[in-house]
Amino acid sequence: MTDYIGYAYSFTVALGGIIGFVKAGSTMSLAAGLTFGCLAAFGANRVSKNSKNVGVALTVSVLLLGLMGFRFYKSGKFMPAGLVTVLSLLSAARYGYICYDNY
């Protein structure tokens, strides 16, 4: 079964990096957004092929939850750090549940 939610998450992360680059000229946002977006898409692809294979997707979600959660805590700004934090929390919870449910 195709992991549409995972692909949507990866697209949102990559798009956020692109928007950060266009609006602020931040090459770090571009690099991080595209890197994490591609890794999340790779994870979604692995979950699509085998629902028990959530390791990459879960790891990317937890990493982004920690990184962007810290940025949100420091800045207090919902966009973009807060939004990515919430999406990463939901994604990590979803993949964690899938992992727990499969074992």
Side-chain angles (χ1 to χ4, degrees), residues 21-101:
F21 176 73
V22 170
K23 283 189 148 192
S26 172
T27 55
M28 186 59 87
S29 286
L30 180 64
L34 292 179
T35 300
F36 279 104
C38 287
L39 286 171
F42 177 68
N45 180 266
R46 290 175 60 105
V47 171
S48 295
K49 291 180 180 178
N50 179 358
S51 65
K52 293 182 179 183
N53 204 352
V54 297
V56 173
L58 180 59
T59 300
V60 170
S61 298
V62 169
L63 281 172
L64 275 176
L65 174 61
L67 292 170
M68 296 305 278
F70 181 72
R71 285 191 64 201
F72 178 53
Y73 175 76
K74 295 288 274 184
S75 72
K77 296 180 181 177
F78 184 73
M79 289 301 286
L83 177 63
V84 176
T85 300
V86 170
L87 293 176
S88 297
L89 176 63
L90 294 173
S91 182
R94 178 175 170 266
Y95 288 124
Y97 176 77
I98 291 170
C99 183
Y100 173 77
D101 194 41

